[in-house]
Amino acid sequence: MPDMSASVSLAMTHLVPLAKEVDENKVTPGVLGFIVFAAMAVAVWGLMKSMSKHMGKVDFKEPADPEQPSAAGAPAKTTAPAPSTTTVTGKPSSTS
């Protein structure tokens, strides 16, 4: 297996002169960089607006737990729930 430090130093001796040829005053992101940044900003804005709209639809109130005692101290009635007449899709089930 070749020595990695030798190949790294060889690569650095070839790349360092190339880096020194670049004038630091002329390197800019340019128009393409601005367009990409602006597109990302618009996308983030749209996602945040959509998220706030969807979060507004969420109901955070939990239903009362029937097993919890009532505020008066008397135990709550435990009754069996009524049989459901709807399916998972929300459409009435057909009884044949």
Side-chain angles (χ1 to χ4, degrees):
M1 181 169 191
D3 187 23
M4 293 300 286
S5 62
S7 60
V8 170
S9 66
L10 180 63
M12 289 302 292
T13 57
H14 290 294
L15 293 177
V16 169
L18 292 176
K20 289 183 179 179
E21 292 176 10
V22 177
D23 186 9
E24 293 180 7
N25 296 328
K26 292 184 180 179
V27 177
T28 62
V31 176
L32 180 62
F34 175 75
I35 291 171
V36 169
F37 182 77
M40 289 175 61
V42 169
V44 168
W45 175 79
L47 286 171
M48 293 294 289
K49 187 171 180 171
S50 174
M51 183 188 69
S52 69
K53 183 174 105 176
H54 282 87
M55 290 298 286
K57 293 179 182 179
V58 175
D59 182 20
F60 289 106
K61 295 179 184 175
E62 294 184 16
D65 190 7
E67 296 180 8
Q68 292 286 337
S70 63
K77 289 183 180 180
T78 55
T79 59
S84 177
T85 59
T86 58
T87 61
V88 175
T89 60
K91 296 178 183 175
S93 63
S94 60
T95 53
S96 356

